[in-house]
Amino acid sequence: MASKSFYAVIAGVGAGTGRSVAVKFSKAYPVVLLARKPESYNDIVAEIKQAGGEAIGISTDTGDPQSVAAAFAAIKKEFPNKKLAAAIYNVGAGRAIKSFLELKVEDLDESLANNARGLFNFAQNTLPQLLESVDDAPHPPTLLITGATASLRGSARFATFAAGKFAVRALGQSLAREFGPRGVHVAHIIVDGVIDIPRTKNYTVNDGKPDGKISADAIAESYWHLHQQHRSSFTQELDLRPYVEKF
Amino acid sequence: MASKSFYAVIAGVGAGTGRSVAVKFSKAYPVVLLARKPESYNDIVAEIKQAGGEAIGISTDTGDPQSVAAAFAAIKKEFPNKKLAAAIYNVGAGRAIKSFLELKVEDLDESLANNARGLFNFAQNTLPQLLESVDDAPHPPTLLITGATASLRGSARFATFAAGKFAVRALGQSLAREFGPRGVHVAHIIVDGVIDIPRTKNYTVNDGKPDGKISADAIAESYWHLHQQHRSSFTQELDLRPYVEKF
Amino acid sequence: MASKSFYAVIAGVGAGTGRSVAVKFSKAYPVVLLARKPESYNDIVAEIKQAGGEAIGISTDTGDPQSVAAAFAAIKKEFPNKKLAAAIYNVGAGRAIKSFLELKVEDLDESLANNARGLFNFAQNTLPQLLESVDDAPHPPTLLITGATASLRGSARFATFAAGKFAVRALGQSLAREFGPRGVHVAHIIVDGVIDIPRTKNYTVNDGKPDGKISADAIAESYWHLHQQHRSSFTQELDLRPYVEKF
Amino acid sequence: MASKSFYAVIAGVGAGTGRSVAVKFSKAYPVVLLARKPESYNDIVAEIKQAGGEAIGISTDTGDPQSVAAAFAAIKKEFPNKKLAAAIYNVGAGRAIKSFLELKVEDLDESLANNARGLFNFAQNTLPQLLESVDDAPHPPTLLITGATASLRGSARFATFAAGKFAVRALGQSLAREFGPRGVHVAHIIVDGVIDIPRTKNYTVNDGKPDGKISADAIAESYWHLHQQHRSSFTQELDLRPYVEKF
């Protein structure tokens, strides 16, 4: 079932959305996982291989253009004949949650580097490949971008995080408007809630109600749906939140 | 595969989205089609039956509370033991496109009746049933609402149409916020483009590019995806548009 | 200072925004106050006259096209040679705040009639007059529309109120886009908070902090600013809320 | 009439909005003008002085925290006893308008530095001063931020510019939500159109219609109105555009 001629790449792989998206897309394509530290992707690579899929991990700092270029050079070497079917940008950092006057300019820089600059570098490397896949990919080549509540709303104490997430959304819109007409599907997903991962196990959200945290596997289903959309009916933006989440 | 204990109801069935959604949902549930005139649903009912599905059509004016109540009484009689899995409100009218000073108050009334008042009546009848399905339906019970470009933007010459569509979106948000926490998934879909149906066959849109009109079947795939979403990860709103559509 | 050749008309005059806007605009123009009941405008007419201004009140049901037409016929008779400088639509009703399943279709109808239908009727009567004033009015002729929090957000339990307010916003945008280029300034003001009027005297909002309710006179200052804006720099929408209001 | 105990500071002073805002606020307060190059503010300082106002210019790179801190140290020395009444952030750069694949990461960095990082540095230095003015300033202390069309919309070929402007808007919202309740008015102004300045003299916009470019003096009137708003009725965001501008 899996296409051997195309691959998918996921930047920002850890315990949550990144892992689930990688596993989901690995049913259809060999997948490349990018994360700063190998410990973020090693277990997922193993999990995918054990399930019969193909996966490689590459240590990458998406905020750094050289690091991203090196990662894609390594991919080219690893998969000399594969074309890119889907690229998912799921890096998020810069979550300093503080009163504005306690924030440092470094907090802003970290948020901008990992969110906006990271997406910029990732898109510079993936869009030319996605364009090359337009004519023969099984689905319209896709660039999916993970957003957050802070993509739409600058809350008190979230100044620098929101700055990074708003900037990502701006890039996503610009890319959708420029590359959509060329056949590449660019979509932005607003994840509005706490994801149910080991790190959030002890968080009490939504009064502890069942399914009050977002299942990362459920997120991955929506990413896959976006990837499958027919080019006459692309979604540019959708939100995902638990049924009990206030919004 | 189809659930015999649950049914779906689609209001506003014609050649486009309504037909495709009815056909798609009929693979899983018996479906009830509501439209003002039997000629709007007769062929679709026949098509679904021929494919082995179950379908009935009921002539209904959604803007009229009595007519909607009568339709749901008829459904109760037809399906005395079935519960409601999904309700789709796809009625759209009041598309008078005119300079504001050429519009009559009747144009506004028609738009409000068919958009806002129709959804109100439909939701009053379906939400109690959807609540009763929360515990045992195959997917979270779902109310899906079709919007348009004019749901987000009041363009010149679209005053009354936009008024109706904005009002529908308001209702949809309120219902999502009230009934989401009770387990019912309420989502609003912004269809931003011309749908590819016989009536639009001769429209030249997006410079006549291939797939420049939206495939109604592609829309139905996204409606089905929304219906399938896990309750920890509901989408409240998404847009659908051709890859070549300006936005 | 007041122009004798131009007048302003304010629909929806009561204790709050309507009164303050009428008083403010009466420093510059004779003003006509429309409200359903004379007791809503009688005191304000007296107050303005006592301060040396000119004012008349006309009992009008803005949701009813005949009533609005009759009001403007009466104005024509009263002010046969005056042109219209500013029209303010400040009618708001349909504030049934209830669980959706407790609402009746009449609640929706009331909200749509007083919000959307009322603005439609008011705009049908004022826009032709405003267009006639473009060349010689002291400021660009202006149609100002009062919105609310519910103009932007359909909250739980506000379904019908939000439907009416969203529809008003849609009309406002359409009118701005159609009549702006013809020289008429159409603006929508989102009043996001409780107004400080006798009726709200005992409401505790924003923890009872000073100035936690909106001063209607402060609102009127912003309406006047909008009226004065140069045509190269029109505002289409602004929000007004107390410094302590959560948003 | 001018307050001698308070001053205003404007960052990003050139031929357009910055100059007009400086001149307008100089009627009420001594003003400090910040720009990278002295030639950007020298003439304006002279113009204000000639009109009887008080003004100083300080060469500042707002993207650089040290440069901004040095500027405010210089202000403290110049005005040892003055408190801050209003701070206006009007810096905009990074306007590379190019196809995404022609953009360099430096284009993004420039946009983020001058927009988001600059506002961050400016706000870090001005907010503590604005907080100190809450109790006795003639108007609620104000931080005004200039936005653009690209603050709301990521258009094709505007990826990096929009990223910077979206990030600025995020910061503005966060600051409004955090500092509004403490008495500081933070507002964001979306300037949607071409400003009428010498540099744009030969641009044909809006079919060359009169007043089709925005008067910078008209913008300054709205900034001054925002500064004067009562704290019970703060505007967080407004748009400004020529009557003939498409939107």
Side-chain angles (χ1 to χ4, degrees), chain C residues 177 180-181 211 213-215 221-222 225 229-232 234-243 247, chain D residues 177 180-181 211 213-215 222 225 229-243 247:
Chain C
R177 290 189 168 104
D211 296 322
K213 294 174 197 161
I214 310 180
S215 153
E221 291 296 324
S222 288
H225 172 68
Q229 285 183 319
H230 186 251
R231 69 175 175 170
S232 82
F234 279 168
T235 291
Q236 208 285 302
E237 188 163 86
L238 59 76
D239 51 331
L240 295 173
R241 71 173 59 78
Y243 69 116
F247 72 103
Chain D
R177 291 188 168 105
D211 297 322
K213 294 174 196 161
I214 311 180
S215 153
S222 289
H225 172 68
Q229 285 184 319
H230 186 250
R231 69 174 175 170
S232 82
S233 187
F234 279 167
T235 291
Q236 208 285 301
E237 188 163 85
L238 60 76
D239 50 331
L240 296 173
R241 74 174 57 78
Y243 69 115
F247 72 103

Side-chain angles (χ1 to χ4, degrees), chain D:
Chain D
M1 210 58 174
S3 168
K4 292 296 186 191
S5 316
F6 289 87
Y7 77 101
V9 58
I10 299 101
V13 172
T17 303
R19 182 202 147 273
S20 290
V21 169
V23 169
K24 178 74 189 177
F25 280 67
S26 75
K27 317 281 194 214
Y29 309 110
V31 291
V32 179
L33 315 191
L34 309 183
R36 204 174 298 214
K37 299 178 194 160
E39 55 264 41
S40 296
Y41 55 71
N42 278 339
D43 288 357
I44 311 170
V45 167
E47 178 188 354
I48 289 170
K49 284 181 171 168
Q50 193 156 357
E54 200 175 340
I56 56 173
I58 302 174
S59 178
T60 314
D61 175 359
T62 52
D64 173 4
Q66 271 75 44
S67 175
V68 179
F72 279 91
I75 293 171
K76 188 82 212 158
K77 220 165 136 186
E78 193 79 23
F79 295 153
N81 300 313
K82 288 200 204 309
K83 298 170 79 171
L84 184 58
I88 292 101
Y89 190 74
N90 184 55
V91 178
R95 290 173 185 265
I97 301 176
K98 288 182 191 168
S99 169
F100 180 71
L101 295 175
E102 287 165 23
L103 288 164
K104 303 290 172 209
V105 76
E106 290 75 19
D107 294 312
L108 178 70
D109 290 345
E110 189 201 348
S111 178
L112 295 175
N114 286 291
N115 288 298
R117 210 169 194 263
L119 172 58
F120 183 93
N121 295 329
F122 187 71
Q124 286 278 337
N125 282 276
T126 54
L127 280 165
Q129 287 195 50
L130 292 167
L131 286 170
E132 281 174 24
S133 303
V134 168
D135 289 336
D136 56 356
H139 301 292
T142 307
L143 171 59
L144 300 177
I145 303 162
T146 302
T149 316
S151 304
L152 292 182
R153 181 187 160 81
S155 298
R157 301 174 63 84
F158 284 77
T160 53
F161 185 53
K165 287 298 181 193
F166 270 56
V168 159
R169 187 168 178 250
L171 291 174
Q173 286 185 11
S174 294
L175 298 178
R177 291 188 168 105
E178 181 171 346
F179 293 93
R182 301 176 69 183
V184 176
H185 184 185
V186 180
H188 181 248
I189 301 96
I190 294 162
V191 179
D192 181 21
V194 170
I195 300 177
D196 188 13
I197 50 174
R199 183 171 58 83
T200 63
K201 198 187 166 91
N202 294 319
Y203 292 16
T204 300
V205 293
N206 291 316
D207 303 323
K209 291 198 181 117
D211 297 322
K213 294 174 196 161
I214 311 180
S215 153
D217 287 349
I219 295 175
E221 291 297 324
S222 289
Y223 279 55
W224 182 250
H225 172 68
L226 291 168
H227 177 53
Q228 284 191 307
Q229 285 184 319
H230 186 250
R231 69 174 175 170
S232 82
S233 187
F234 279 167
T235 291
Q236 208 285 301
E237 188 163 85
L238 60 76
D239 50 331
L240 296 173
R241 74 174 57 78
Y243 69 115
V244 284
E245 188 81 18
K246 284 247 162 50
F247 72 103

Side-chain angles (χ1 to χ4, degrees), chain A residues 177 211 231 235 239 247, chain B residues 177 211 231 235 239 241 247:
Chain A
R177 291 187 168 106
D211 297 322
R231 69 175 175 170
T235 291
D239 50 332
F247 71 104
Chain B
R177 290 187 168 105
D211 297 322
R231 69 174 174 170
T235 290
D239 51 332
R241 74 173 58 77
F247 71 101

Side-chain angles (χ1 to χ4, degrees), chain B residues 42-112:
Chain B
N42 278 338
D43 288 357
I44 311 170
V45 167
E47 178 188 353
I48 290 170
K49 284 182 171 169
Q50 195 157 357
E54 200 176 339
I56 55 174
I58 301 175
S59 178
T60 314
D61 176 358
T62 53
D64 174 4
Q66 272 75 43
S67 176
V68 179
F72 280 90
I75 294 171
K76 188 82 212 155
K77 220 165 135 184
E78 194 79 22
F79 294 153
N81 300 313
K82 288 198 204 312
K83 299 170 80 172
L84 184 59
I88 292 102
Y89 190 74
N90 185 53
V91 179
R95 291 174 183 266
I97 302 175
K98 289 183 190 167
S99 169
F100 180 71
L101 295 174
E102 287 165 23
L103 288 165
K104 303 293 171 207
V105 77
E106 289 76 19
D107 294 313
L108 178 69
D109 290 345
E110 190 201 345
S111 177
L112 296 175

Side-chain angles (χ1 to χ4, degrees), chain B residues 198-211:
Chain B
R199 184 171 57 83
T200 63
K201 198 187 167 88
N202 295 318
Y203 293 16
T204 300
V205 294
N206 290 316
D207 304 324
K209 287 192 184 124
D211 297 322

